[in-house]
Amino acid sequence: MSDSSGWYYCLTHQTVEQGKGCKGPDRMGPYPDEATAARALEIARERTRSADEADRQYRGDDD
């Protein structure tokens, strides 16, 4: 169930939506505000890079 008042990033339309919008699987969020929702893809990339780095450190991989 999604928050009907939060901000979301719609992957289908590549736009920011507030409240009820496209189907849940097509959206990222909720985010606290419109500006943060607009950065959803950037935030996801940053989190992926951070998780990848943590995995490398855990495995002891050398770059």
Side-chain angles (χ1 to χ4, degrees), residues 24-40:
D26 296 335
R27 302 185 332 159
M28 298 172 71
Y31 294 96
D33 52 53
E34 184 177 11
T36 305
R39 292 186 54 243

Side-chain angles (χ1 to χ4, degrees), residues 18-63:
Q18 184 178 27
K20 293 182 180 178
C22 292
K23 299 181 288 185
D26 296 335
R27 302 185 332 159
M28 298 172 71
Y31 294 96
D33 52 53
E34 184 177 11
T36 305
R39 292 186 54 243
L41 295 177
E42 180 182 345
I43 291 167
R45 282 190 293 271
E46 291 169 359
R47 289 177 179 170
T48 298
R49 278 193 292 269
S50 178
D52 288 348
E53 178 59 27
D55 287 345
R56 280 191 292 278
Q57 289 179 2
Y58 176 79
R59 290 189 309 260
D61 293 351
D62 293 328
D63 286 341

